[in-house]
Amino acid sequence: MHDGRAQEAASWYVGNDRITMGNRVGVVEEAARRYMDDEAQGLTSVVVASDSRTVGDVNHAVQQARVADMNPEEIGPGLSMRGSDPSRPETAHIGDLIVTRRNDKTLRTSAGDSVLNGHRWRVTAVSKQGATVESVGRDGVPATVVLPSSYLAQHAHLGYAVIIHTSQGGTWDRAHAIIDADRTGSASAYVGATRGRRTDILIVTDGVMGRGG
């Protein structure tokens, strides 16, 4: 991959049962299932993809799986968010994982840090004014902050899946990289394939993804 030994790397992933191939719908469903399995095992996990449409589809699938056995009262109120794809707004509920997509020095966490682009948060409370969130995946004691509803509506989306470049600098127990052979460059593929501490599972499409439908 990154060092030019793409064929050797691909052969290693195949030999170690680390590549799953499928069409677009199947890949999204598989990524969501694997994320849920990781969460059930108490592992930190992320799905990365090269386009916002795929990120949005995986986020929707994971969110639906999380609330499948809940009634409306258990799901509780939600707050509108921009979404990874602006044409498809999302809703955050208590327990959801979200990503902030804009630096804002006016929003300070309980640790005194600013809210930054690419940081992930767990929603712990929701009101008309905004959402109380707790930092996820960063060293130290988890910090909290209230994200105003106006910020969420413009600069946040569900965070189970993220765009590959957003994952740079982060490492999780397990990462699931959706690689589109027709659209994902080698540099992006390398980033996506090196996000996991324990295992990196490449979910490779069969060329259908990104062509509509």
Side-chain angles (χ1 to χ4, degrees):
M1 287 185 201
H2 188 61
D3 59 2
R5 295 179 296 174
Q7 189 62 45
E8 180 182 343
S11 297
W12 185 90
Y13 275 95
V14 171
N16 286 272
D17 195 26
R18 298 269 288 275
I19 289 183
T20 299
M21 300 184 72
N23 61 29
R24 184 178 188 285
V25 173
V27 163
V28 166
E29 292 175 349
E30 178 69 6
R33 183 190 67 78
R34 293 189 183 205
Y35 180 93
M36 292 297 294
D37 287 348
D38 293 344
E39 189 172 81
Q41 296 175 52
L43 301 174
T44 60
S45 182
V46 68
V47 178
V48 296
S50 60
D51 66 285
S52 59
R53 177 187 175 189
T54 304
V55 167
D57 286 345
V58 174
N59 278 328
H60 176 75
V62 173
Q63 187 183 54
Q64 290 302 300
R66 287 174 56 84
V67 302
D69 298 324
M70 297 183 185
N71 59 46
E73 288 74 22
E74 291 174 316
I75 296 173
L79 284 172
S80 296
M81 297 188 296
R82 171 183 180 272
S84 56
D85 179 350
S87 67
R88 302 165 62 196
E90 299 170 346
T91 302
H93 300 275
I94 292 175
D96 270 326
L97 199 64
I98 69 171
V99 175
T100 47
R101 295 308 310 272
R102 183 181 182 181
N103 298 339
D104 194 323
K105 294 182 179 180
T106 69
L107 297 176
R108 293 283 178 175
T109 71
S110 56
D113 300 318
S114 300
V115 169
L116 298 178
N117 176 31
H119 279 185
R120 300 210 301 175
W121 313 81
R122 182 77 65 182
V123 179
T124 60
V126 170
S127 70
K128 291 182 179 179
Q129 287 70 43
T132 301
V133 297
E134 183 177 84
S135 60
V136 172
R138 295 194 290 281
D139 295 334
V141 178
T144 61
V145 66
V146 176
L147 298 177
S149 55
S150 57
Y151 179 95
L152 292 168
Q154 299 180 62
H155 310 300
H157 65 77
L158 291 171
Y160 308 108
V162 298
I163 293 289
I164 287 177
H165 65 75
T166 301
S167 71
Q168 285 185 287
T171 306
W172 293 263
D173 291 330
R174 207 167 273 170
H176 308 281
I178 297 178
I179 306 299
D180 181 349
D182 293 334
R183 299 176 60 184
T184 306
S186 59
S188 292
Y190 173 80
V191 172
T194 55
R195 296 304 91 195
R197 293 189 188 95
R198 298 188 189 180
T199 57
D200 295 298
I201 300 175
L202 294 181
I203 304 176
V204 183
T205 73
D206 58 3
V208 175
M209 185 175 296
R211 296 180 180 177

